[in-house]
Amino acid sequence: TDPAPATNYVDVDRGKAAVRALEALGVHVEIPDLPGSGRPPLSQGMIATAESAAEDVYAGLASHVDAGRDVVVIEPSDLAMFRGDYDRLLPEESSEPLAEHSYELLEYVYGLLANGADTDGLNLADGDGETVAYHAHCQQRTMGLDEYSVAVLDACGYDVTTSDVECCGMAGSFGYKEQYYELAMDVGSNLEEQLRDADCDHVIASGTSCTDQIGDLLGEEPPHVIELLAPDGETT
């Protein structure tokens, strides 16, 4: 797996849940020591810094990719870097194999289930119509990957309501800036209304910026999809 710095140092339970879920599905997980993907500096126009980050990430993953291992990414923005932006930041012989072998976490879980893995190792719905309101990260939707989260939740017995809001209002680092806070919250008001109206047992989301924003909108930060699905237990 390729945890983003936010996962390593802030949302550590998300990363641990990812490991538990993958191991429950029979996957051996290695966590390489990597820097950030370069998404934050790229979003601010710091091309040279983003290029340096991309080179360091590829250097840390090259041996795994060459060995035929899959790279599983928790943060959708990082996968967008691997599958899109890296083709302009890295040589083609580096960017293409990395993009080909990289997967969003729930995309990968879906693939495992489609190829015979058993959902019994995951945290299944209680059988009484347990409901979920799910908001997909914008980068995830752009890549057409949000459907995999819904499919996995369905396979685990959850009744899923999805938001149709394109952006939570955070827009990467935009909503973290003091001068844009009110605007970001205003943009997010439609999402807040949809999530409250859904009145589900769980509110879940994908991506650090989305979970942070929904936490401000609802007064309680939602878990990532994998935190709902991962089996209970300790992860070292």
Side-chain angles (χ1 to χ4, degrees):
T1 60
D2 166 44
T7 307
N8 267 342
Y9 302 109
V10 181
D11 299 313
V12 294
D13 289 341
R14 183 174 306 172
K16 291 180 177 180
V19 173
R20 291 199 307 274
L22 290 172
E23 289 182 341
L25 294 169
V27 177
H28 172 71
V29 179
E30 294 185 26
I31 304 176
D33 185 13
L34 299 174
S37 68
R39 167 63 65 185
L42 185 64
S43 72
Q44 302 301 310
M46 301 166 65
I47 307 300
T49 303
E51 184 176 33
S52 178
E55 290 170 351
D56 290 342
V57 168
Y58 180 74
L61 290 174
S63 62
H64 297 286
V65 172
D66 290 345
R69 300 187 185 104
D70 297 322
V71 178
V72 180
V73 183
I74 298 174
E75 193 67 32
S77 293
D78 290 337
L79 185 65
M81 290 289 285
F82 290 5
R83 289 188 177 177
D85 301 286
Y86 275 19
D87 65 4
R88 293 179 291 276
L89 298 174
L90 295 173
E92 184 176 306
E93 61 268 22
S94 301
S95 63
E96 284 195 356
L98 179 57
E100 182 181 349
H101 289 274
S102 297
Y103 301 87
E104 189 268 336
L105 177 58
L106 271 297
E107 175 192 18
Y108 197 73
V109 170
Y110 174 87
L112 294 172
L113 296 177
N115 284 280
D118 198 327
T119 59
D120 286 349
L122 300 177
N123 182 29
L124 305 180
D126 61 15
D128 295 325
E130 195 168 358
T131 56
V132 168
Y134 170 57
H135 176 68
H137 189 281
C138 59
Q139 294 283 4
Q140 193 179 17
R141 292 185 185 189
T142 299
M143 293 183 285
L145 303 178
D146 51 311
E147 62 189 50
Y148 295 111
S149 293
V150 175
V152 172
L153 289 163
D154 284 340
C156 290
Y158 295 94
D159 183 359
V160 185
T161 298
T162 59
S163 78
D164 60 11
V165 175
E166 292 185 6
C167 180
C168 68
M170 188 64 81
S173 61
F174 178 85
Y176 289 103
K177 297 178 180 180
E178 182 179 0
Q179 66 268 36
Y180 302 130
Y181 175 78
E182 294 299 334
L183 176 57
M185 292 294 283
D186 186 51
V187 171
S189 62
N190 288 337
L191 176 59
E192 177 185 5
E193 181 178 358
Q194 285 193 15
L195 294 176
R196 291 191 186 279
D197 287 348
D199 192 26
C200 291
D201 297 316
H202 308 278
V203 174
I204 56 176
S206 302
T208 299
S209 55
C210 295
T211 53
D212 284 353
Q213 177 77 330
I214 294 171
D216 285 344
L217 292 168
L218 299 183
E220 182 177 357
E221 187 164 317
H224 187 282
V225 181
I226 204 64
E227 292 179 90
L228 175 65
L229 296 174
D232 295 334
E234 292 296 322
T235 309
T236 57

